[in-house]
Amino acid sequence: VQLQASGGGLVQTGGALRLSCAASGRTVSTYAMGWFLQAPGKEHEFVAAISRSGGVTYYADSVKGRFTISRDNARNTLTLQMNSLKPEDTAIYYCAADRHHYSGSYLSRSQSAYEYWGQGTQVTVSS
């Protein structure tokens, strides 16, 4: 599957952005999906994940209550609604797909579990 992230930009503190991830090559319903960020000089950091059906979501503590992950399997898209943005949210955001099947409602927060990655979209939050 090929992933293409978009929607990043420059926004002031308290503002909002909506990131999108378009999938092609294979139906996205085959994969659990996630968003990660990478700040300058740092490793990839988990942001949010969503199950194949969209019924289960996980968030990093730093974004809970501010960010919402969702998916539209019919349109092969993944979305991250980002509200109440803070300067510390500044990073490149990547969408990723995890083809592993886990028991119960488990979703991985580890970048190593995600096999397919988009190219990233820059989010900059000014103070």
Side-chain angles (χ1 to χ4, degrees):
V1 64
Q2 292 79 46
L3 304 174
Q4 179 83 22
S6 62
L10 174 63
V11 64
Q12 291 185 332
T13 296
L17 284 173
R18 186 177 180 87
L19 305 185
S20 295
C21 178
S24 61
R26 190 167 182 178
T27 179
V28 72
S29 62
T30 304
Y31 306 93
M33 302 291 293
W35 287 98
F36 289 78
L37 64 82
Q38 187 174 29
K42 295 188 177 181
E43 298 291 324
H44 283 90
E45 181 180 323
F46 172 79
V47 176
I50 189 167
S51 63
R52 287 169 174 77
S53 67
V56 178
T57 56
Y58 286 172
Y59 295 93
D61 289 343
S62 59
V63 306
K64 278 181 183 177
R66 300 189 298 122
F67 291 9
T68 302
I69 187 172
S70 61
R71 66 191 298 161
D72 185 337
N73 287 341
R75 298 187 177 186
N76 258 11
T77 57
L78 175 73
T79 300
L80 185 69
Q81 178 66 44
M82 309 166 68
N83 298 329
S84 303
L85 283 161
K86 305 175 181 180
E88 51 264 43
D89 295 321
T90 295
I92 300 173
Y93 284 72
Y94 298 87
C95 56
D98 179 1
R99 64 180 176 84
H100 300 97
H101 289 268
Y102 306 104
S103 60
S105 61
Y106 177 80
L107 294 170
S108 177
R109 300 169 186 242
S110 171
Q111 67 174 87
S112 63
Y114 291 79
E115 185 172 355
Y116 303 100
W117 292 76
Q119 87 290 358
T121 184
Q122 176 71 48
V123 170
T124 303
V125 184
S126 62
S127 58

